[in-house]
Amino acid sequence: MTRHTLRPATPGDYDAIAAVVDAWWGRPILASLPRLFLDHFHRTSLIATSASGAMAGFLIGFLSPSAPREAYIHFVGVSPEARGTGVARELYEEFFGMAREHGRHVVKAITSPVNEASVAFHRRMGFTVNGPVPGYNGPGTTLLTFERALT
């Protein structure tokens, strides 16, 4: 497994993420990641770079201001070239450590039921999968929820 360099995100990382995210997903997804996430949650978000210095992945997450025991992973991306190298696991483990340091006991996330790779990854990372939950984000949306206790 390749070890990547992880660093806290900055608001300035948004443009680099926005430039690749649709291509990394293979479909338009940028609308799910507005700039405000890096403007307001960059201190709890992460960027992974490869040995060449290229962005290998990113994690946008935050410590819930309303649920003091919870942290939330909003969006994760891994470049096609870095898939299978362990970068997503590294990003999640770093975020788990950050959440623990801030007294959080649970990490939550969501995904679409059609995102089978995400579901499998979250199960491997120890998350429980719940749903599908009809109407999770309003009428016509169905999502799966993930939850992992931090020990």
Side-chain angles (χ1 to χ4, degrees):
M1 181 180 341
T2 304
R3 182 77 184 150
H4 299 87
T5 301
L6 303 182
R7 65 169 175 80
T10 68
D13 289 315
Y14 183 80
D15 290 335
I17 292 169
V20 299
V21 72
D22 288 347
W24 287 8
W25 258 257
R27 62 186 167 92
I29 196 81
L30 181 59
S32 296
L33 185 59
R35 184 178 296 274
L36 72 89
F37 280 95
L38 280 175
D39 286 348
H40 296 281
F41 302 117
H42 60 90
R43 289 188 182 135
T44 52
S45 298
L46 300 162
I47 302 292
T49 56
S50 66
S52 69
M55 183 169 54
F58 64 89
L59 180 150
I60 309 301
F62 57 89
L63 306 173
S64 174
S66 299
R69 295 177 47 86
E70 297 178 10
Y72 185 81
I73 297 173
H74 173 67
F75 209 100
V76 179
V78 174
S79 76
E81 298 78 26
R83 290 180 187 155
T85 66
V87 67
R89 177 175 289 279
E90 291 173 43
L91 288 163
Y92 272 67
E93 291 294 345
E94 185 74 13
F95 184 80
F96 294 161
M98 187 184 327
R100 279 186 203 98
E101 288 174 9
H102 287 88
R104 305 308 165 115
H105 301 279
V106 175
V107 174
K108 293 184 175 183
I110 60 171
T111 199
S112 166
V114 301
N115 194 341
E116 294 175 5
S118 176
V119 174
F121 172 77
H122 282 88
R123 281 193 170 120
R124 286 192 306 274
M125 292 298 295
F127 284 82
T128 58
V129 180
N130 300 297
V133 181
Y136 184 89
N137 274 343
T141 65
T142 299
L143 296 173
L144 299 173
T145 63
F146 302 125
E147 185 172 318
R148 178 184 162 163
L150 297 177
T151 54

